[in-house]
Amino acid sequence: MWYVIYSTDRPDSLPSRQAARAEHLARLQALLDEGRLLLAGPRPAIDSEDPGPAGFQGSLVVAGFDSLEEARAWADADPYAAAGVYQSVEVTPFKRVLPK
């Protein structure tokens, strides 16, 4: 099943985000390689593809897991979580309708 991992960054977390980015992307690449990643990306803090020093307000990942518990465990092990980037993380089931 698909799950949404919706994360909100803590204030002033851009340096921590940048430091942990390579490890974070490697985990996402592993999901992609396994055919389990639907989409992933940061949520810019301003209306811009490149928010510069404004940074990001969080991240969104939609990925396949066998259970909600597995999705939560994956989110809890995120390098951004370990680096203190996230203020909060919500994990919920997601039913994909379109595109098929």
Side-chain angles (χ1 to χ4, degrees):
M1 180 167 191
W2 295 112
Y3 293 89
V4 171
I5 302 170
Y6 187 88
S7 307
T8 301
D9 287 11
R10 66 174 172 75
D12 303 316
S13 62
L14 185 58
S16 298
R17 177 181 270 273
Q18 291 168 328
R21 186 170 189 266
E23 289 178 84
H24 172 79
L25 291 178
R27 292 181 80 234
L28 290 170
Q29 185 64 51
L31 286 178
L32 182 64
D33 293 347
E34 296 166 5
R36 298 172 46 203
L37 183 65
L38 184 61
L39 64 90
R43 298 182 300 110
I46 60 173
D47 189 12
S48 174
E49 284 282 324
D50 180 4
F56 300 92
Q57 59 182 322
S59 299
L60 174 71
V61 175
V62 180
F65 295 95
D66 290 333
S67 68
L68 180 58
E69 293 76 22
E70 184 183 324
R72 285 184 178 144
W74 188 91
D76 288 345
D78 190 310
Y80 282 172
V85 171
Y86 295 145
Q87 178 174 296
S88 65
V89 177
E90 183 178 0
V91 181
T92 61
F94 177 75
K95 182 175 173 160
R96 180 179 176 176
V97 175
L98 292 173
K100 291 186 178 204

